[in-house]
Amino acid sequence: MSESTLRIGLVLPDVMGTYGDGGNALVLRQRARMRGIDAEIVPITLDDDVPDSLDVYTLGGAEDFAQRLATRHLLEHPGMQRAAAAGRPVLAICAAIQVLGHWYLTAAGEKVEGVGLFDATTSPMEARAIGELVTDPLLDGLTQPLTGFENHRGATTLGPDARPLGRVRHGTGNGAPFGSTQESAGEAVEGVIQGSVLGTYMHGPLLARNPELADHLLAAATGRILEPLDLPEIDLLRRERIAAAR
C-alpha cells in the first residue's frame, strides 16, 4: 500500500457488474475510512490496461458473453495476475471464479480457457442454484458463518492446488463434490482459496454481509492488524439473513 492511500481495484465493472458486486469495493473503502485509512476505488474497464500496482482487487459476476470478454481482457492485460503472484489480495465473485479457473463450459457447451489463478474448472449443472447460502468458513482467522445469495448454474471442481472457502451449511455452493480422502470425499463446499486469491458464489454484496471477510482482505492489503468495528446494524443484517436461510 502507498503511504497515503489504499487503492482498491474494481475490475471490469462494465462487463462483470451484473449483480451489484461492485458494492464490495465500496465496503472496503468505507471500512478503511472508518479506521482513518485513506482509500480510493480505481475502476478498470475494457478500455484500460490492468495495473499490477493496486493494493486489492475485486471482480463481480456476469453472464456467458460478458465472461468471455472479461477472460480475454485479463489474459491480454495480466497486471492482476502479477499482483496476485506478489501476494496482493484478490476477491472473485460468482462468474469471476470461472474466469480465473483453468477453463469453463458455457451453457451452450463452449469451452473457454480461463486465466489460471485457480486450480479449478466449471461445467453447467442441470438446475440453477438460487437462494440464500450459508457456510462455515475454512479460512484462517474467520470465526463467523459466511452468508450470501447464490444465483448460478456452474458446478466448480477444485484441483489439488486449491481449497474451499467454506463448508456448506445451507444452499448449493460449488455444486461439485470435494475431497480425495475417505473423511472428506463428497463434502459439499463453497468457494475457493488459492494463495492470496479468494472466490465465492455469494452475492449480497458479499462484504456487506460478512465484515470479518472484509477486514481479512483489508488487513492483507494494508499489512495492519485491524480491530473490529462496532456496527450493530450489520449484526442485525447477518442475523436476518442467516435466519432467512433456515
Side-chain angles (χ1 to χ4, degrees), residues 81-101:
Q81 293 91 297
R82 292 194 298 270
R88 309 261 176 73
V90 176
L91 175 65
I93 305 296
C94 197
I97 294 177
Q98 303 167 22
V99 168
L100 298 190

PDB file of all heavy atoms in Angstrom, residues 81-101:
ATOM      1  N   GLN A  81      -2.829 -10.654 -12.383  1.00  0.00           N
ATOM      2  CA  GLN A  81      -2.141 -11.911 -12.140  1.00  0.00           C
ATOM      3  C   GLN A  81      -0.754 -11.671 -11.521  1.00  0.00           C
ATOM      4  O   GLN A  81      -0.333 -12.388 -10.620  1.00  0.00           O
ATOM      5  CB  GLN A  81      -2.006 -12.718 -13.436  1.00  0.00           C
ATOM      6  CG  GLN A  81      -3.328 -13.220 -14.002  1.00  0.00           C
ATOM      7  CD  GLN A  81      -3.974 -12.264 -14.979  1.00  0.00           C
ATOM      8  OE1 GLN A  81      -4.342 -11.152 -14.627  1.00  0.00           O
ATOM      9  NE2 GLN A  81      -4.115 -12.694 -16.237  1.00  0.00           N
ATOM     10  N   ARG A  82      -0.058 -10.630 -12.001  1.00  0.00           N
ATOM     11  CA  ARG A  82       1.242 -10.300 -11.418  1.00  0.00           C
ATOM     12  C   ARG A  82       1.079  -9.840  -9.971  1.00  0.00           C
ATOM     13  O   ARG A  82       1.883 -10.191  -9.098  1.00  0.00           O
ATOM     14  CB  ARG A  82       1.936  -9.219 -12.244  1.00  0.00           C
ATOM     15  CG  ARG A  82       2.359  -9.674 -13.632  1.00  0.00           C
ATOM     16  CD  ARG A  82       3.326  -8.689 -14.275  1.00  0.00           C
ATOM     17  NE  ARG A  82       2.737  -7.371 -14.484  1.00  0.00           N
ATOM     18  CZ  ARG A  82       2.095  -7.015 -15.590  1.00  0.00           C
ATOM     19  NH1 ARG A  82       1.934  -7.878 -16.592  1.00  0.00           N
ATOM     20  NH2 ARG A  82       1.601  -5.796 -15.711  1.00  0.00           N
ATOM     21  N   ALA A  83       0.030  -9.052  -9.714  1.00  0.00           N
ATOM     22  CA  ALA A  83      -0.217  -8.597  -8.349  1.00  0.00           C
ATOM     23  C   ALA A  83      -0.517  -9.774  -7.424  1.00  0.00           C
ATOM     24  O   ALA A  83      -0.040  -9.828  -6.286  1.00  0.00           O
ATOM     25  CB  ALA A  83      -1.376  -7.599  -8.338  1.00  0.00           C
ATOM     26  N   ALA A  84      -1.324 -10.733  -7.900  1.00  0.00           N
ATOM     27  CA  ALA A  84      -1.639 -11.915  -7.098  1.00  0.00           C
ATOM     28  C   ALA A  84      -0.380 -12.730  -6.811  1.00  0.00           C
ATOM     29  O   ALA A  84      -0.194 -13.238  -5.701  1.00  0.00           O
ATOM     30  CB  ALA A  84      -2.676 -12.771  -7.809  1.00  0.00           C
ATOM     31  N   ALA A  85       0.488 -12.852  -7.806  1.00  0.00           N
ATOM     32  CA  ALA A  85       1.748 -13.584  -7.603  1.00  0.00           C
ATOM     33  C   ALA A  85       2.615 -12.908  -6.547  1.00  0.00           C
ATOM     34  O   ALA A  85       3.414 -13.567  -5.864  1.00  0.00           O
ATOM     35  CB  ALA A  85       2.499 -13.700  -8.926  1.00  0.00           C
ATOM     36  N   ALA A  86       2.457 -11.582  -6.401  1.00  0.00           N
ATOM     37  CA  ALA A  86       3.208 -10.833  -5.397  1.00  0.00           C
ATOM     38  C   ALA A  86       2.511 -10.833  -4.037  1.00  0.00           C
ATOM     39  O   ALA A  86       3.004 -10.203  -3.090  1.00  0.00           O
ATOM     40  CB  ALA A  86       3.400  -9.389  -5.872  1.00  0.00           C
ATOM     41  N   GLY A  87       1.364 -11.527  -3.940  1.00  0.00           N
ATOM     42  CA  GLY A  87       0.672 -11.668  -2.670  1.00  0.00           C
ATOM     43  C   GLY A  87      -0.422 -10.667  -2.402  1.00  0.00           C
ATOM     44  O   GLY A  87      -0.966 -10.627  -1.296  1.00  0.00           O
ATOM     45  N   ARG A  88      -0.798  -9.854  -3.407  1.00  0.00           N
ATOM     46  CA  ARG A  88      -1.883  -8.906  -3.206  1.00  0.00           C
ATOM     47  C   ARG A  88      -3.221  -9.652  -3.197  1.00  0.00           C
ATOM     48  O   ARG A  88      -3.430 -10.559  -4.001  1.00  0.00           O
ATOM     49  CB  ARG A  88      -1.896  -7.850  -4.306  1.00  0.00           C
ATOM     50  CG  ARG A  88      -0.561  -7.186  -4.534  1.00  0.00           C
ATOM     51  CD  ARG A  88      -0.440  -5.825  -3.853  1.00  0.00           C
ATOM     52  NE  ARG A  88       0.914  -5.314  -4.056  1.00  0.00           N
ATOM     53  CZ  ARG A  88       1.371  -4.846  -5.200  1.00  0.00           C
ATOM     54  NH1 ARG A  88       0.584  -4.840  -6.263  1.00  0.00           N
ATOM     55  NH2 ARG A  88       2.604  -4.381  -5.292  1.00  0.00           N
ATOM     56  N   PRO A  89      -4.144  -9.272  -2.324  1.00  0.00           N
ATOM     57  CA  PRO A  89      -5.431  -9.983  -2.257  1.00  0.00           C
ATOM     58  C   PRO A  89      -6.321  -9.681  -3.449  1.00  0.00           C
ATOM     59  O   PRO A  89      -6.377  -8.548  -3.943  1.00  0.00           O
ATOM     60  CB  PRO A  89      -6.046  -9.467  -0.952  1.00  0.00           C
ATOM     61  CG  PRO A  89      -5.371  -8.160  -0.696  1.00  0.00           C
ATOM     62  CD  PRO A  89      -3.999  -8.256  -1.272  1.00  0.00           C
ATOM     63  N   VAL A  90      -7.020 -10.720  -3.897  1.00  0.00           N
ATOM     64  CA  VAL A  90      -7.979 -10.629  -4.999  1.00  0.00           C
ATOM     65  C   VAL A  90      -9.267 -11.312  -4.553  1.00  0.00           C
ATOM     66  O   VAL A  90      -9.225 -12.420  -4.005  1.00  0.00           O
ATOM     67  CB  VAL A  90      -7.445 -11.302  -6.274  1.00  0.00           C
ATOM     68  CG1 VAL A  90      -8.498 -11.271  -7.384  1.00  0.00           C
ATOM     69  CG2 VAL A  90      -6.147 -10.650  -6.740  1.00  0.00           C
ATOM     70  N   LEU A  91     -10.412 -10.665  -4.776  1.00  0.00           N
ATOM     71  CA  LEU A  91     -11.716 -11.242  -4.452  1.00  0.00           C
ATOM     72  C   LEU A  91     -12.497 -11.450  -5.737  1.00  0.00           C
ATOM     73  O   LEU A  91     -12.752 -10.493  -6.478  1.00  0.00           O
ATOM     74  CB  LEU A  91     -12.489 -10.315  -3.510  1.00  0.00           C
ATOM     75  CG  LEU A  91     -13.919 -10.745  -3.178  1.00  0.00           C
ATOM     76  CD1 LEU A  91     -13.937 -12.057  -2.405  1.00  0.00           C
ATOM     77  CD2 LEU A  91     -14.648  -9.650  -2.397  1.00  0.00           C
ATOM     78  N   ALA A  92     -12.897 -12.693  -6.000  1.00  0.00           N
ATOM     79  CA  ALA A  92     -13.618 -13.050  -7.223  1.00  0.00           C
ATOM     80  C   ALA A  92     -14.999 -13.574  -6.853  1.00  0.00           C
ATOM     81  O   ALA A  92     -15.116 -14.512  -6.052  1.00  0.00           O
ATOM     82  CB  ALA A  92     -12.846 -14.110  -8.004  1.00  0.00           C
ATOM     83  N   ILE A  93     -16.047 -12.984  -7.447  1.00  0.00           N
ATOM     84  CA  ILE A  93     -17.425 -13.355  -7.127  1.00  0.00           C
ATOM     85  C   ILE A  93     -18.057 -14.093  -8.299  1.00  0.00           C
ATOM     86  O   ILE A  93     -18.019 -13.636  -9.438  1.00  0.00           O
ATOM     87  CB  ILE A  93     -18.269 -12.113  -6.792  1.00  0.00           C
ATOM     88  CG1 ILE A  93     -17.627 -11.285  -5.671  1.00  0.00           C
ATOM     89  CG2 ILE A  93     -19.691 -12.519  -6.405  1.00  0.00           C
ATOM     90  CD1 ILE A  93     -17.536 -11.987  -4.341  1.00  0.00           C
ATOM     91  N   CYS A  94     -18.667 -15.238  -8.015  1.00  0.00           N
ATOM     92  CA  CYS A  94     -19.517 -15.991  -8.937  1.00  0.00           C
ATOM     93  C   CYS A  94     -18.802 -16.276 -10.262  1.00  0.00           C
ATOM     94  O   CYS A  94     -17.846 -17.041 -10.287  1.00  0.00           O
ATOM     95  CB  CYS A  94     -20.833 -15.245  -9.144  1.00  0.00           C
ATOM     96  SG  CYS A  94     -22.166 -16.254  -9.847  1.00  0.00           S
ATOM     97  N   ALA A  95     -19.253 -15.675 -11.370  1.00  0.00           N
ATOM     98  CA  ALA A  95     -18.645 -15.960 -12.670  1.00  0.00           C
ATOM     99  C   ALA A  95     -17.157 -15.663 -12.692  1.00  0.00           C
ATOM    100  O   ALA A  95     -16.418 -16.249 -13.488  1.00  0.00           O
ATOM    101  CB  ALA A  95     -19.352 -15.157 -13.759  1.00  0.00           C
ATOM    102  N   ALA A  96     -16.707 -14.759 -11.822  1.00  0.00           N
ATOM    103  CA  ALA A  96     -15.278 -14.454 -11.770  1.00  0.00           C
ATOM    104  C   ALA A  96     -14.467 -15.665 -11.312  1.00  0.00           C
ATOM    105  O   ALA A  96     -13.293 -15.800 -11.693  1.00  0.00           O
ATOM    106  CB  ALA A  96     -15.026 -13.261 -10.854  1.00  0.00           C
ATOM    107  N   ILE A  97     -15.060 -16.547 -10.490  1.00  0.00           N
ATOM    108  CA  ILE A  97     -14.385 -17.801 -10.149  1.00  0.00           C
ATOM    109  C   ILE A  97     -14.075 -18.575 -11.424  1.00  0.00           C
ATOM    110  O   ILE A  97     -12.974 -19.087 -11.618  1.00  0.00           O
ATOM    111  CB  ILE A  97     -15.265 -18.672  -9.224  1.00  0.00           C
ATOM    112  CG1 ILE A  97     -15.468 -18.023  -7.868  1.00  0.00           C
ATOM    113  CG2 ILE A  97     -14.644 -20.071  -9.050  1.00  0.00           C
ATOM    114  CD1 ILE A  97     -16.390 -18.818  -6.959  1.00  0.00           C
ATOM    115  N   GLN A  98     -15.069 -18.644 -12.290  1.00  0.00           N
ATOM    116  CA  GLN A  98     -14.921 -19.417 -13.520  1.00  0.00           C
ATOM    117  C   GLN A  98     -13.890 -18.789 -14.446  1.00  0.00           C
ATOM    118  O   GLN A  98     -13.075 -19.483 -15.050  1.00  0.00           O
ATOM    119  CB  GLN A  98     -16.297 -19.532 -14.178  1.00  0.00           C
ATOM    120  CG  GLN A  98     -17.335 -20.169 -13.260  1.00  0.00           C
ATOM    121  CD  GLN A  98     -18.761 -20.020 -13.749  1.00  0.00           C
ATOM    122  OE1 GLN A  98     -18.987 -19.806 -14.944  1.00  0.00           O
ATOM    123  NE2 GLN A  98     -19.726 -20.139 -12.848  1.00  0.00           N
ATOM    124  N   VAL A  99     -13.920 -17.459 -14.540  1.00  0.00           N
ATOM    125  CA  VAL A  99     -12.946 -16.745 -15.369  1.00  0.00           C
ATOM    126  C   VAL A  99     -11.523 -16.987 -14.882  1.00  0.00           C
ATOM    127  O   VAL A  99     -10.589 -17.147 -15.684  1.00  0.00           O
ATOM    128  CB  VAL A  99     -13.268 -15.239 -15.367  1.00  0.00           C
ATOM    129  CG1 VAL A  99     -12.126 -14.423 -15.971  1.00  0.00           C
ATOM    130  CG2 VAL A  99     -14.564 -14.969 -16.129  1.00  0.00           C
ATOM    131  N   LEU A 100     -11.334 -17.054 -13.563  1.00  0.00           N
ATOM    132  CA  LEU A 100      -9.988 -17.206 -13.011  1.00  0.00           C
ATOM    133  C   LEU A 100      -9.534 -18.665 -12.935  1.00  0.00           C
ATOM    134  O   LEU A 100      -8.402 -18.930 -12.527  1.00  0.00           O
ATOM    135  CB  LEU A 100      -9.918 -16.571 -11.622  1.00  0.00           C
ATOM    136  CG  LEU A 100     -10.171 -15.068 -11.538  1.00  0.00           C
ATOM    137  CD1 LEU A 100      -9.835 -14.545 -10.145  1.00  0.00           C
ATOM    138  CD2 LEU A 100      -9.386 -14.309 -12.595  1.00  0.00           C
ATOM    139  N   GLY A 101     -10.400 -19.614 -13.314  1.00  0.00           N
ATOM    140  CA  GLY A 101     -10.011 -21.017 -13.313  1.00  0.00           C
ATOM    141  C   GLY A 101      -9.245 -21.408 -14.565  1.00  0.00           C
ATOM    142  O   GLY A 101      -8.866 -20.570 -15.386  1.00  0.00           O
TER     143      GLY A 101
END
